[in-house]
Amino acid sequence: NAGVTQTPKFQVLKTGQSMTLQCAQDMNHNSMYWYRQDPGMGLRLIYYSASEGTTDKGEVPNGYNVSRLNKREFSLRLESAAPSQTSVYFCASSFSGSNEQFFGPGTRLTVL
Amino acid sequence: GIQVEQSPPDLILQEGANSTLRCNFSDSVNNLQWFHQNPWGQLINLFYIPSGTKQNGRLSATTVATERYSLLYISSSQTTDSGVYFCAVRKQDKIIFGKGTRLHILP
C-alpha cells in the first residue's frame, strides 16, 4: 500500500497563476483533508471531505477550492495564486472524522 | 474556538536523556493525536489517544481528558528522535494543531 500520495512534490508559481494539487489514498478511507503548514506553525485545516460527495470549509479556506473526485482522490485548487499561499501543503485521510489521520509527504509551494 | 498549547516550545537534550512534552487544550475534545515531523518534513503518527495511556517502545503517551492535557514521554532519546512533535485535537468538525515542540537530540 502506498498510503497517501501527493503530487507534485514541489511547485513554483507566479502571482495570479492557477494550479491543482492532487492527493490520493489507497486505504479505503472515507474522510480526507487538506492542510497548510507555515514556518514555525502547526498545521491549519483548509478543507475537508467527510465522505465521498461532501466537502466542508476548515480554518483557512479563502483562496482555495476542493474537489472530492471519488473515494480515493481529493484535489486542492488555487485559482489565482498569491504570495501568501506560499506554504507546505499536506493531505491526510482517515476512516472517519473520529479516527486517526494519516498524512501524505507534502507539497512545497512557492508563489513569487 | 478551542486553543491548543504545547510546551516547551524548544528542547535540547543529550542522547540517552528522557523528556516529557505537554499538550494542553481549552475544551473537551473528541480525539487527540501525537505526531513527529522529522527533519525531512514527513509527519509520522505516534499515538491516537483521546484518553488513557499507550506505549510503543521508548515512547508513551497519556491523555487525561477530564483535565484537558496530554503528555508524550520519550525515554533514552536517540538522535533520530530529533524533529518537531505536534499534538492535534478534534472537536466536532474542528481540527486544531498545536505549534509543536522542537526537539534536538545531541550525539
Side-chain angles (χ1 to χ4, degrees), chain B residues 1 6 9 23 25 31 33 40 44 48 50 60 62 67 70 72 75-77 91-92 98 103:
Chain B
Q6 291 187 241
C23 174
F25 41 97
N31 65 46
Q33 273 188 265
W40 297 270
I44 300 162
Y48 172 75
S60 63
T62 295
E67 296 187 21
S70 183
L72 177 69
S75 64
S76 304
S77 298
K91 184 176 177 69
Q92 297 171 343
L103 178 64

Side-chain angles (χ1 to χ4, degrees), chain B residues 60-94:
Chain B
S60 63
T62 295
T63 297
V64 184
T66 53
E67 296 187 21
R68 299 177 184 171
Y69 73 88
S70 183
L71 302 174
L72 177 69
Y73 305 97
I74 305 174
S75 64
S76 304
S77 298
Q78 300 176 357
T79 55
T80 52
D81 294 331
S82 295
V84 184
Y85 290 80
F86 291 104
C87 71
V89 303
R90 181 173 187 132
K91 184 176 177 69
Q92 297 171 343
D93 61 349
K94 296 194 185 304

Side-chain angles (χ1 to χ4, degrees), chain A residues 33 37 48 97-98 100-101, chain B residues 31 33 37 45 48 90 93:
Chain A
Y33 313 82
Q37 184 179 26
Y48 67 99
S98 58
E100 65 179 311
Q101 296 184 42
Chain B
N31 65 46
Q33 273 188 265
Q37 187 167 39
N45 288 26
Y48 172 75
R90 181 173 187 132
D93 61 349

Side-chain angles (χ1 to χ4, degrees), chain B residues 3-57:
Chain B
Q3 306 293 319
V4 179
E5 294 185 2
Q6 291 187 241
S7 59
D10 297 280
L11 190 56
I12 301 174
L13 296 173
Q14 207 68 40
E15 196 169 25
N18 302 328
S19 59
T20 300
L21 283 57
R22 188 176 181 102
C23 174
N24 291 338
F25 41 97
S26 61
D27 200 354
S28 59
V29 298
N30 301 114
N31 65 46
L32 185 146
Q33 273 188 265
W34 282 98
F35 297 91
H36 174 214
Q37 187 167 39
N38 65 22
W40 297 270
Q42 184 183 8
L43 279 161
I44 300 162
N45 288 26
L46 297 178
F47 295 102
Y48 172 75
I49 185 167
S51 63
T53 297
K54 290 186 177 180
Q55 179 156 9
N56 184 3

Side-chain angles (χ1 to χ4, degrees), chain A residues 12-27:
Chain A
V12 178
L13 294 177
K14 294 181 180 178
T15 297
Q17 286 185 315
S18 62
M19 80 161 294
T20 300
L21 281 64
Q22 306 287 353
C23 174
Q25 53 90 10
D26 62 2
M27 295 177 283

Side-chain angles (χ1 to χ4, degrees), chain A residues 29-87:
Chain A
H29 285 169
N30 295 308
S31 300
M32 298 184 73
Y33 313 82
W34 276 105
Y35 294 88
R36 61 177 289 173
Q37 184 179 26
D38 300 302
M41 302 283 289
L43 279 69
R44 291 183 293 170
L45 183 64
I46 304 172
Y47 270 95
Y48 67 99
S49 170
S51 61
E52 187 178 354
T54 68
T55 60
D56 288 283
K57 294 179 181 180
E59 185 182 353
V60 288
N62 291 347
Y64 305 95
N65 287 303
V66 290
S67 295
R68 183 74 183 267
L69 303 169
N70 48 55
K71 190 171 186 178
R72 290 187 62 249
E73 298 171 292
F74 188 38
S75 63
L76 178 72
R77 183 161 178 83
L78 287 70
E79 290 291 350
S80 179
S84 61
Q85 294 179 304
T86 294
S87 190

